[in-house]
Amino acid sequence: MIAKHISQRGFATSSKSNVHVTVLGATGGIGQPLAMLLKQNPLVTRVNCYDIRGAPGVAADLSHINTPSVAEGFGPDNNGLEKALKGSEIVLIPAGVPRKPGMTRDDLFNTNASIVRDLSKAVAEYCPKAFVGIISNPVNSTVPISAEVLKKAGVYDPKRLAGVTSLDVVRASTFVAGLANKDPKDVNVTVVGGHSGVTIVPLLSQQKDGAAIVQEGGQKLADLVKRIQFGGDEVVKAKDGAGSATLSMAYAAAVFADALMRAKSGESGVTTPAFVESPLFKDQGVDYFASQVTFDKNGVSKIHDLGKLDASEQKLVDACLPELKKNIEKGVQFVAQN
Ligand code: NAD
Ligand code: LMR
């Protein structure tokens, strides 16, 4: 039943591929449900779970699910990180601390920057050809951190690194569907920019139900844009000190991974928003930007431009760029100095 529901939401249903996925931070609030969703995906043959604590237990539990993929858990002892990564084709990284009420994602930088740096070094050493999807916040800075580490190791390929921003798409689509009284599976809102506050830019005018709200304008539109940009805060507040979005994030990352795997298995035209090294605003000093990206078996194959924006969306992009530039520079500097 669950698998059927998931397949209706965009997961692959036939198995043509043979993909080995590793989750780094697999014991966490995101890691566990993400590993479970991967275990259910017929395109996955192996789910390696790595964490500094408890990953063998998570994998033992997963291994009792009667799907064909293998789940194996590793900790830091006995070269566990190397074993978890060797042979991996997709590495998803939700390792790191989540927010508490009152914190911004940037407040996580001091802890998560070094975690992402060190895990990216391991990726460079043990599976340099893998596609890396960064979930750990602040994504606007952790993706450039990972890129700089991979560059230093001489293995960086911009086709194979992305920040996972699909939760913004999932949220925006859910919120718009709610307002329009539609089934969320029929509403797909593109969200571009980055992954925090004003860097999150929903392109509502490009989706029928969103366009109707844009047309209406006023407080309804302002509230919707604010809710999409600050949706993460809603969950942080409701969890009241126990962390941030985990289940919706695991779902969003599993859908993103499924898109990568479908592209890997030869499906053409697989397109979804992702935060990647992008030419779109390089002339303004913004080297990474989330927009619609088409993937093929080698990773990123086409970065789409933003299409037609209405005046309010152009304003949002204008507000996004300086903040995003600052966040990216912070990540780049961290690797240069550490
Ligand atoms: P969590 O604390 O529940 O889990 C994090 C896990 O990472 C823990 O199990 C911890 O042991 C592990 N970990 C820490 N250091 C590690 C290391 N060096 N190697 C391997 N594992 C390590 O947190 P969570 O709720 O799962 O969130 C994880 C991260 O994801 C946070 O930074 C959060 O802000 C971010 N996040 C991002 C998005 C997004 O849209 N990109 C959405 C939600 C959360
Ligand atoms: C989210 O958007 O839910 C995540 O980035 C977690 C957070 O800190 O809000």
Side-chain angles (χ1 to χ4, degrees):
M1 184 61 193
I2 292 170
K4 184 167 174 241
H5 181 70
I6 287 170
S7 76
Q8 284 170 345
R9 305 273 153 163
F11 277 82
T13 47
S14 71
S15 178
K16 269 197 286 173
S17 99
N18 181 25
V19 184
H20 171 158
V21 185
T22 300
V23 179
L24 303 178
T27 310
I30 296 167
Q32 291 203 40
L34 173 56
M36 187 177 88
L37 291 167
L38 293 167
K39 179 79 176 73
Q40 293 180 23
N41 189 316
L43 295 178
V44 176
T45 48
R46 168 172 273 274
V47 186
N48 277 355
C49 300
Y50 174 84
D51 201 296
I52 50 172
R53 61 177 177 94
V58 170
D61 191 356
L62 288 175
S63 72
H64 290 193
I65 295 175
N66 60 343
T67 55
S69 50
V70 171
E72 195 172 352
F74 305 88
D77 296 340
N78 303 317
N79 304 323
L81 185 52
E82 175 179 353
K83 288 178 189 156
L85 290 171
K86 274 266 164 84
S88 191
E89 291 149 279
I90 297 179
V91 179
L92 300 169
I93 310 187
V97 291
R99 287 198 284 164
K100 290 193 185 322
M103 291 173 84
T104 66
R105 292 181 185 80
D106 190 55
D107 292 334
L108 304 172
F109 187 95
N110 287 343
T111 310
N112 291 352
S114 55
I115 293 175
V116 171
R117 176 198 61 198
D118 295 347
L119 293 174
S120 299
K121 276 187 195 163
V123 167
E125 192 169 350
Y126 304 126
C127 55
K129 297 279 186 209
F131 187 99
V132 181
I134 307 272
I135 297 168
S136 320
N137 271 316
V139 165
N140 295 355
S141 304
T142 51
V143 170
I145 287 173
S146 188
E148 292 303 304
V149 169
L150 297 169
K151 280 180 201 168
K152 272 194 177 176
V155 298
Y156 177 61
D157 180 350
K159 287 179 189 299
R160 294 198 307 262
L161 174 67
V164 183
T165 54
S166 41
L167 179 54
D168 300 315
V169 173
V170 165
R171 267 188 191 132
S173 303
T174 305
F175 299 163
V176 169
L179 290 171
N181 207 14
K182 291 270 172 71
D183 182 334
K185 89 170 166 15
D186 298 328
V187 177
N188 195 2
V189 176
T190 298
V191 182
V192 301
H195 178 66
S196 76
V198 299
T199 71
I200 297 171
V201 177
L203 302 184
L204 296 165
S205 71
Q206 297 180 5
Q207 192 278 335
K208 193 160 65 69
D209 306 293
I213 299 168
V214 171
Q215 200 75 49
E216 208 179 313
Q219 199 55 43
K220 186 173 176 185
L221 174 62
D223 289 348
L224 174 61
V225 170
K226 180 140 198 264
R227 190 167 183 218
I228 294 168
Q229 291 187 320
F230 295 91
D233 296 21
E234 252 180 49
V235 183
V236 170
K237 192 165 169 239
K239 289 199 174 177
D240 197 18
S244 55
T246 54
L247 304 172
S248 51
M249 180 61 234
Y251 173 81
V255 171
F256 179 70
D258 184 69
L260 294 179
M261 289 185 281
R262 284 188 283 121
K264 247 183 179 316
S265 68
E267 186 176 324
S268 64
V270 177
T271 301
T272 187
F275 183 69
V276 294
E277 184 175 338
S278 170
L280 295 183
F281 296 99
K282 276 213 176 186
D283 61 346
Q284 298 181 53
V286 178
D287 289 345
Y288 300 83
F289 197 85
S291 67
Q292 291 280 24
V293 173
T294 299
F295 291 92
D296 66 12
K297 63 181 174 14
N298 300 313
V300 173
S301 70
K302 180 173 177 191
I303 294 170
H304 299 256
D305 64 27
L306 301 190
K308 193 166 180 297
L309 306 185
D310 91 328
S312 66
E313 288 162 349
Q314 186 57 55
K315 268 198 191 154
L316 294 178
V317 171
D318 294 343
C320 157
L321 292 174
E323 177 67 17
L324 191 49
K325 184 167 186 279
K326 215 171 59 190
N327 297 160
I328 293 167
E329 280 167 359
K330 188 169 174 179
V332 171
Q333 269 171 24
F334 173 79
V335 178
Q337 290 162 7
N338 296 275

